[in-house]
């Protein structure tokens, strides 16, 4: 942990945290994997020959989606190299585009391509996930940075219809557990807060109309 980071006791055991993050990863990939299985079942059904092209399209699309989500979660939640390793923000941008951009949401990435400490890049990826929750109907997510070298800070500005700061997310990012404890849904903002404090940063949210700004500074 950074010497300047606030030392907040971990409110959940390392075993529970690891198990919950694994559950989160499974949650992220189960949908496209299930769609692949459904497509294969259609191909095996001799009475559904007219659906063959639809099934092949579903399988191809779902396989790409599953691959993109696994590549993202490997960097966002996984070890992604040894302790003290540095990660490329260009690689981060690539995996982010694979999971964020679709017919409803676009990404504007202005960060330069540099090598940063592993946990700072992992924090950035987790901030992108948080930013996505603020525009439930889609919109534009702008990823920017300030500062130089290893001390760079991040700001993500999300604009879209019905933009909002999800209930409870700010408390989770500061390390406060919900009354019922963490689950596979709430563990991600909690984990983002852990990463931020490890980097000597704190996560903040502000809203102005249909724009939510998420900062790590």
């Amino acid at each position: 942990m950074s010497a300047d980071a606030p030392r907040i006791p971990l409110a959940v055991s390392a075993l529970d945290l690891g198990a919950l993050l694994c559950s989160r990863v499974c949650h992220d990939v189960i949908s496209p994997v299930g769609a692949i299985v459904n497509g294969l079942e259609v191909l095996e059904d001799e009475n559904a020959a007219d659906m063959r092209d639809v099934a092949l399209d579903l399988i191809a699309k779902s396989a790409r989606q599953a691959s993109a989500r696994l590549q993202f979660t490997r960097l966002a939640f996984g070890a992604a190299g040894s302790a003290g390793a540095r990660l490329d923000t260009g690689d981060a941008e690539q995996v982010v585009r694979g999971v964020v951009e679709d017919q409803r949401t676009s990404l504007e990435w202005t960060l330069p391509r540099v090598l940063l400490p592993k946990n700072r890049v992992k924090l950035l990826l987790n901030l992108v996930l948080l930013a996505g929750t603020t525009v439930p109907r889609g919109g534009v997510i702008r990823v920017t940075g300030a500062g130089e070298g290893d001390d760079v800070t991040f700001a993500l500005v999300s604009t879209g219809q019905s933009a909002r700061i999800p209930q409870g997310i700010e408390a989770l990012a500061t390390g406060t557990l919900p009354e019922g404890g963490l689950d596979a849904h709430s563990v991600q903002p909690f984990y983002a807060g852990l990463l931020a404090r490890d980097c000597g940063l704190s996560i903040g949210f502000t809203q102005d109309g249909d724009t939510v700004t998420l900062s790590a500074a």
Side-chain angles (χ1 to χ4, degrees):
M1 178 176 290
S2 167
D4 297 327
R7 296 188 177 277
I8 299 176
L10 184 60
V12 61
S13 74
L15 286 175
D16 285 344
L17 181 64
L20 287 167
L21 287 174
C22 287
S23 294
R24 170 60 194 246
V25 172
C26 292
H27 176 272
D28 286 348
V29 300
I30 192 64
S31 178
V33 170
I36 292 171
V37 173
N38 291 338
L40 291 173
E41 290 177 348
V42 171
L43 291 180
E44 294 171 353
D45 186 351
E46 296 180 356
N47 297 319
D50 58 328
M51 296 293 292
R52 179 179 178 83
D53 289 343
V54 174
L56 287 172
D57 182 64
L58 174 65
I59 291 170
K61 184 183 299 182
S62 299
R64 288 192 296 269
Q65 188 179 63
S67 176
R69 292 185 181 184
L70 285 171
Q71 290 180 58
F72 180 92
T73 54
R74 174 180 172 271
L75 288 184
F77 303 137
S82 60
R86 304 175 74 83
L87 299 179
D88 191 327
T89 56
D91 293 339
E93 178 186 2
Q94 183 177 0
V95 298
V96 165
R97 290 193 182 279
V99 298
V100 168
E101 291 189 312
D102 56 25
Q103 295 179 342
R104 300 191 311 161
T105 305
S106 61
L107 179 73
E108 294 181 5
W109 184 284
T110 64
L111 289 173
R113 183 161 196 163
V114 294
L115 291 174
L116 291 177
K118 176 177 66 175
N119 279 357
R120 196 159 290 238
V121 176
K122 289 163 67 71
L123 169 62
L124 174 59
L125 296 178
N126 277 270
L127 292 176
V128 171
L129 289 179
L130 296 183
T133 67
T134 67
V135 281
R137 296 189 179 183
V140 180
I141 300 176
R142 300 174 181 87
V143 182
T144 65
E148 297 181 353
D150 292 355
D151 295 326
V152 64
T153 59
F154 306 116
L156 288 79
V157 182
S158 304
T159 303
Q161 185 180 3
S162 301
R164 83 287 191 273
I165 301 172
Q167 183 177 5
I169 198 171
E170 294 175 275
L172 284 164
T174 62
T176 302
L177 294 181
E179 288 187 9
L182 289 176
D183 56 24
H185 175 72
S186 60
V187 69
Q188 190 274 317
F190 180 83
Y191 180 64
L194 291 177
L195 289 169
R197 292 189 289 278
D198 183 81
C199 297
L201 305 173
S202 60
I203 297 174
F205 296 81
T206 59
Q207 181 165 7
D208 181 11
D210 283 339
T211 297
V212 175
T213 299
L214 173 57
S215 62

